[in-house]
Amino acid sequence: MQQIIKDREIVEDNWQHLDDEAALVAGNITVSITRWQEQHETLSHHEGGLGIRLSGDDPLEEIVPDLGRFQLVVLLFPAFTDGRCYSYARLLRDRYNFKGEIRAQGDVLYDQLFYMSQCGINSFELANPNRLTQALAAFDDFSESYQATVLRPEPLFRRR
Amino acid sequence: MYQYDKYDQTMIDQRVAQFRDQTRRFLAGELTEEQFRPLRLMNGLYIQIHAPMLRVAVPYGMMSSRQVRKIAEVARRYDKGFVHFTTRQNFQMNWPKLEDVPDILAELASVQMHAIQSSGNCIRNTTSDQLAGVNANEIEDPRPWAEIIRQWSTFHPEFAYLPRKFKIAVVGSHEDRAATKLHDIGLHLVKNHEGDVGFEVLVGGGLGRTPIIGEQIRPFLEKQDLLSYLEAILRVYNRLGRRDNKYKARIKITVREHGINHIRELVEAEWVHIRDQLKLDKKEVERVKQYFTEPAYELDAADSDSSYADLLAQDKEFALWVKQNTADHKVSGYRAVYVSLKKPGQAPGDITSEQLEVVADLADEFSFGEVRSTHTQNLVYTDVKQADLYALWLRLNAENLATPNINTLTDIICCPGLDYCGLANATSIPLSKGIAQRFDDLDYLHDLGDIKIKFSGCMNGCAHQSVGHIGILGVDKKGEEWYQFTLGGSSEADASLGERLGRAIPKDEVVDTVAHLLDAYIDLRYEDESFLATVRRIGVDPFKERVYAADH
């Protein structure tokens, strides 16, 4: 089982990410938005945890009514330079009030963890799983932010 | 000017530590070049032809004498003893060593300077009018707002990996000295019918391969809503901007493809949700404004001095410099003084460490310890007493910083070009020097009046050639350098894109071509008609005939 960072700790990952063709399995699973939209009846009866995977191309707003069904939303970063899902994470937290786990998957690097966590992402499948311990330090790169963020909803200008 | 508090200082110190570690990991092979690239770019570090290039942010152009001395010291110690000022009021060092950059950034941080987001696909340095606060025609000083934007945009966690770079400029008067219509977002402080001051917001302007003039997205935005509206635009752009083609990734293309009305609907819909969370309170606005209060002007500066009028009458050279290189000030008896970085024969925008030190001393002596960089790659002292102008002129002249050519033909905006830049197709600096040397007769220059030449060495258009009165663009044709001319562009309040003159010109005819254009202008202008006005009245054809007829 692979290790991930979740809530600033290294933990065993207990989720399985199913391809659209893969047979359903017991336990915690994630599916693509396409599969969710096609099979939501069946998937609603799944007994383990259920998660959905979104990329910046996927229509976030379409799954908002279903968010209560998911314990996990996986945001895909096909390249670390593709920053669309930073906005998705913020919208999921700030606007759609999603309280479950939000995970970054794909080209997720040490140096992006600080910004990702400020946007509300709380678990990380790093592109290089060999450097997890080292990566934990990245959450403390900065002790302050000017902006209103998910971790600190009051912008600095109201606190100084 | 703005002074860091413990929050600002802690963040830039932490940034230096972070970049030191990133550089260490890169040099140790733990980060690939591809992984290191966006990290170094977000600290202003490019890899160029000869060496890395470090671009340091000068927020809205303001520098204290202490900062200028530090720039001089860093340039001497870590580079070749000079820096280059850019069109976005920043400066660049062209020869630092990669392994020295963390130390350079630490030195700069000690005087409240940084290179954060001076490159990369993120929100860049916020620029403004170099005469902000001293211009009599100002509706409101834009600098506190530029600083508020600087803080909001610095390390914004959501907008560090945008589709493309993002530039914001803000001005407080109808005269536009910051090319706001050619920025991703342009902000104009305006007064509405009720007499309230707010922002007119433009979006989607830009230069480069596809120059586009920004469109109005909102005619009036209340000042307290500035950050929420900016955040709404950025969020819409971050989601919608194209990521499949970097040449179509700027917001100008997003606006063009979706239409300004659709973009406006999306932005306003987003804005409704975040407006309250980011509403600026009075306390914060006042906190920032207190750093931009007026210096202690001598209110009798005009009346108590008679030497100025005498010196103007006695010394023709001085009078010429005053006419060309100084600007009106809102306080009687004061003027703003340009420091020309455009002496013919020198690379436009370059200044040596020795000159910087003199600039710093003169700032202390004559202008409340401050100096600003301009969009046109010069410097300006904004608060000089008229009685001090002669002494200041003598000192600047001794350092070759008083060429009386501001806003003339030889005040050329020029990119580094093929001599330094990895992107360039053609040289620009040597030809700019050639133009400046050919037309160095001051009477002729002043007779020509306001002519802006903008000269870029490639399509990326760092020197904004598409909005030059005369724009010159270097292109590569089968390994040879050719130059495409455009006429009639402007980056100011009457912004327009230049029209192509005709087929490209070979390198050895560039300076002659400028001569033909000027001859045509002198023949065809009405009395006192500027070059730009003449081109707008008669079009490019008469110029075209003159230039291409001369071939035969």
Side-chain angles (χ1 to χ4, degrees):
Chain A
M1 208 170 265
Q2 77 159 341
Q3 291 191 312
I4 61 164
I5 293 176
K6 184 178 171 188
D7 297 327
R8 304 183 63 155
E9 287 179 2
I10 298 170
V11 298
E12 301 289 324
D13 181 18
N14 55 7
W15 286 84
Q16 287 176 274
H17 306 300
L18 298 189
D19 288 343
D20 288 355
E21 287 75 34
L24 290 181
V25 294
N28 297 332
I29 59 166
T30 72
V31 295
S32 70
I33 184 172
T34 317
R35 186 162 185 176
W36 166 251
Q37 289 179 332
E38 283 170 4
Q39 304 177 14
H40 65 273
E41 284 293 330
T42 323
L43 289 166
S44 294
H45 297 107
H46 180 70
E47 296 208 341
L50 186 62
I52 190 163
R53 302 192 301 271
L54 296 173
S55 80
D57 284 327
D58 291 325
L60 171 67
E61 280 72 13
E62 286 183 18
I63 58 113
V64 167
D66 305 334
L67 278 175
R69 314 276 188 98
F70 308 121
Q71 289 80 54
L72 171 65
V73 175
V74 177
L75 298 177
L76 299 173
F77 291 82
F80 66 87
T81 50
D82 182 343
R84 290 176 289 183
C85 282
Y86 289 86
S87 289
Y88 278 20
R90 286 207 64 177
L91 290 168
L92 283 165
R93 294 291 189 211
D94 291 348
R95 186 154 317 155
Y96 307 125
N97 216 10
F98 181 69
K99 301 288 189 205
E101 178 180 343
I102 299 181
R103 182 181 296 192
Q105 188 185 65
D107 199 10
V108 178
L109 307 174
Y110 177 130
D111 296 286
Q112 278 78 49
L113 298 189
F114 180 80
Y115 285 167
M116 284 181 172
S117 63
Q118 295 296 318
C119 289
I121 297 172
N122 69 318
S123 76
F124 307 87
E125 293 180 20
L126 265 74
N128 184 347
N130 300 324
R131 293 193 199 277
L132 293 187
T133 313
Q134 195 186 4
L136 286 174
F139 294 104
D140 296 317
D141 275 355
F142 296 94
S143 54
E144 263 300 346
S145 302
Y146 288 111
Q147 301 76 16
T149 73
V150 171
L151 295 187
R152 251 197 222 110
E154 286 286 80
L156 180 59
F157 67 73
R158 291 219 186 91
R159 294 183 281 115
R160 63 194 331 176
Chain B
M1 63 187 278
Y2 186 73
Q3 300 295 319
Y4 284 6
D5 66 6
K6 63 176 193 240
Y7 294 104
D8 304 295
Q9 189 67 48
T10 303
M11 277 188 266
I12 68 160
D13 289 345
Q14 289 173 337
R15 174 60 143 204
V16 173
Q18 182 194 41
F19 188 66
R20 194 180 290 285
D21 185 56
Q22 288 164 347
T23 306
R24 181 194 61 73
R25 284 186 282 136
F26 171 66
L27 293 172
E30 294 173 29
L31 282 174
T32 64
E33 167 53 31
E34 195 202 353
Q35 290 167 345
F36 185 54
R37 190 169 174 275
L39 305 177
R40 65 172 164 75
L41 287 177
M42 275 187 247
N43 287 285
L45 187 64
Y46 287 75
I47 303 294
Q48 298 274 42
I49 295 176
H50 305 290
M53 180 276 274
L54 180 66
R55 182 184 296 142
V56 177
V58 182
Y60 39 94
M62 291 203 72
M63 293 173 287
S64 67
S65 56
R66 179 161 167 254
Q67 290 175 324
V68 173
R69 285 192 191 94
K70 180 59 81 176
I71 297 168
E73 179 197 323
V74 165
R76 188 180 284 128
R77 181 154 160 215
Y78 297 101
D79 205 290
K80 295 191 172 182
F82 71 95
V83 302
H84 172 79
F85 279 91
T86 76
T87 57
R88 299 204 71 258
Q89 299 180 296
N90 295 322
F91 71 86
Q92 297 178 177
M93 301 183 10
N94 278 308
W95 309 89
K97 289 198 195 73
L98 173 62
E99 53 272 33
D100 286 340
V101 173
D103 291 335
I104 296 173
L105 295 180
E107 290 283 348
L108 293 169
S110 74
V111 294
Q112 311 190 349
M113 295 193 89
H114 62 72
I116 295 160
Q117 292 166 214
S118 58
S119 182
N121 294 333
C122 49
I123 305 170
R124 303 290 190 87
N125 184 34
T126 299
T127 56
S128 187
D129 179 354
Q130 71 267 14
L131 298 183
V134 302
N135 165 22
N137 302 321
E138 200 161 75
I139 294 158
E140 186 176 317
D141 188 344
R143 293 172 301 165
W145 302 103
E147 175 58 29
I148 286 169
I149 295 168
R150 182 193 76 79
Q151 297 189 15
W152 162 80
S153 62
T154 299
F155 305 136
H156 199 302
E158 187 179 343
F159 305 130
Y161 297 95
L162 295 169
R164 200 75 178 83
K165 59 187 169 183
F166 203 94
K167 301 175 180 179
I168 302 174
V170 47
V171 293
S173 79
H174 295 302
E175 306 140 25
D176 187 349
R177 280 173 286 262
T180 57
K181 293 184 175 175
L182 300 152
H183 278 72
D184 296 283
I185 292 177
L187 295 165
H188 300 160
L189 281 154
V190 291
K191 204 173 260 182
N192 68 8
H193 293 304
E194 287 76 49
D196 296 326
V197 174
F199 295 100
E200 179 194 12
V201 186
L202 308 181
V203 69
L207 292 159
R209 281 158 201 260
T210 317
I212 296 179
I213 290 171
E215 293 187 75
Q216 186 192 75
I217 185 165
R218 194 171 174 86
F220 189 84
L221 177 72
E222 287 183 46
K223 290 189 282 188
Q224 60 188 7
D225 292 324
L226 177 63
L227 296 185
S228 56
Y229 204 80
L230 294 179
E231 186 138 320
I233 294 174
L234 266 294
R235 184 171 286 165
V236 167
Y237 169 59
N238 190 37
R239 292 186 61 175
L240 203 60
R242 284 180 62 169
R243 291 177 187 267
D244 60 330
N245 180 339
K246 76 169 185 172
Y247 299 115
K248 296 185 174 172
R250 292 287 290 270
I251 196 173
K252 63 190 175 187
I253 306 293
T254 319
V255 172
R256 179 183 267 190
E257 288 183 348
H258 295 267
I260 186 70
N261 292 329
H262 182 55
I263 297 292
R264 183 182 297 115
E265 281 166 29
L266 293 174
V267 167
E268 302 262 332
E270 180 60 41
W271 182 43
V272 170
H273 292 286
I274 56 180
R275 199 172 166 182
D276 286 338
Q277 190 186 18
L278 292 178
K279 191 160 278 188
L280 281 160
D281 44 43
K282 262 208 173 76
K283 182 172 137 263
E284 170 66 0
V285 175
E286 291 309 316
R287 184 187 77 82
V288 178
K289 279 190 173 173
Q290 66 172 327
Y291 294 108
F292 299 96
T293 51
E294 282 186 4
Y297 293 122
E298 290 171 26
L299 294 177
D300 62 347
D303 301 334
S304 65
D305 166 65
S306 59
S307 63
Y308 177 56
D310 293 344
L311 288 162
L312 280 178
Q314 285 162 20
D315 193 324
K316 185 169 164 270
E317 253 190 277
F318 171 61
L320 191 65
W321 173 81
V322 168
K323 177 169 174 279
Q324 205 61 42
N325 285 23
T326 72
D328 291 339
H329 196 287
K330 66 179 182 186
V331 177
S332 166
Y334 281 82
R335 296 192 72 74
V337 172
Y338 285 93
V339 177
S340 171
L341 304 185
K342 306 292 177 66
K343 185 181 163 61
Q346 286 181 356
D350 279 10
I351 184 167
T352 67
S353 289
E354 289 70 28
Q355 287 174 319
L356 283 166
E357 279 157 356
V358 174
V359 164
D361 291 345
L362 296 177
D364 284 339
E365 234 172 295
F366 296 117
S367 195
F368 299 98
E370 289 176 3
V371 62
R372 305 184 195 177
S373 53
T374 78
H375 161 64
T376 53
Q377 300 179 288
N378 294 300
L379 302 177
V380 63
Y381 295 117
T382 49
D383 300 291
V384 182
K385 246 187 316 184
Q386 68 176 42
D388 291 337
L389 285 170
Y390 195 77
L392 176 58
W393 172 65
L394 291 174
R395 302 272 291 278
L396 287 173
N397 218 3
E399 299 297 326
N400 294 317
L401 295 169
T403 309
N405 63 349
I406 298 298
N407 288 332
T408 70
L409 181 77
T410 57
D411 188 6
I412 299 173
I413 295 187
C414 184
C415 73
L418 198 55
D419 296 286
Y420 294 102
C421 176
L423 302 172
N425 294 320
T427 49
S428 47
I429 290 174
L431 288 172
S432 292
K433 287 181 185 171
I435 293 168
Q437 280 165 329
R438 168 82 73 93
F439 306 104
D440 68 345
D441 182 85
L442 288 173
D443 291 334
Y444 182 61
L445 281 186
H446 294 138
D447 176 49
L448 291 170
D450 180 2
I451 300 188
K452 295 192 170 68
I453 297 192
K454 304 192 187 212
F455 199 139
S456 294
C458 81
M459 293 282 282
N460 293 303
C462 292
H464 307 178
Q465 79 286 346
S466 11
V467 289
H469 299 172
I470 299 175
I472 309 177
L473 166 66
V475 291
D476 174 87
K477 282 194 191 175
K478 296 176 186 159
E480 284 180 35
E481 296 162 56
W482 289 72
Y483 294 85
Q484 178 65 58
F485 278 63
T486 49
L487 296 186
S490 167
S491 66
E492 297 180 27
D494 59 349
S496 61
L497 303 174
E499 195 180 330
R500 254 177 88 142
L501 181 69
R503 64 175 188 279
I505 305 276
K507 189 174 178 178
D508 58 6
E509 290 174 22
V510 166
V511 181
D512 288 338
T513 300
V514 173
H516 295 315
L517 292 172
L518 299 177
D519 288 346
Y521 161 59
I522 287 170
D523 291 348
L524 298 166
R525 70 180 168 185
Y526 292 153
E527 196 183 347
D528 289 337
E529 190 179 33
S530 71
F531 182 84
L532 183 61
T534 307
V535 174
R536 285 182 174 169
R537 176 173 58 82
I538 63 178
V540 302
D541 284 346
F543 293 93
K544 191 172 180 169
E545 281 164 26
R546 192 73 68 103
V547 166
Y548 296 99
D551 282 357
H552 307 296

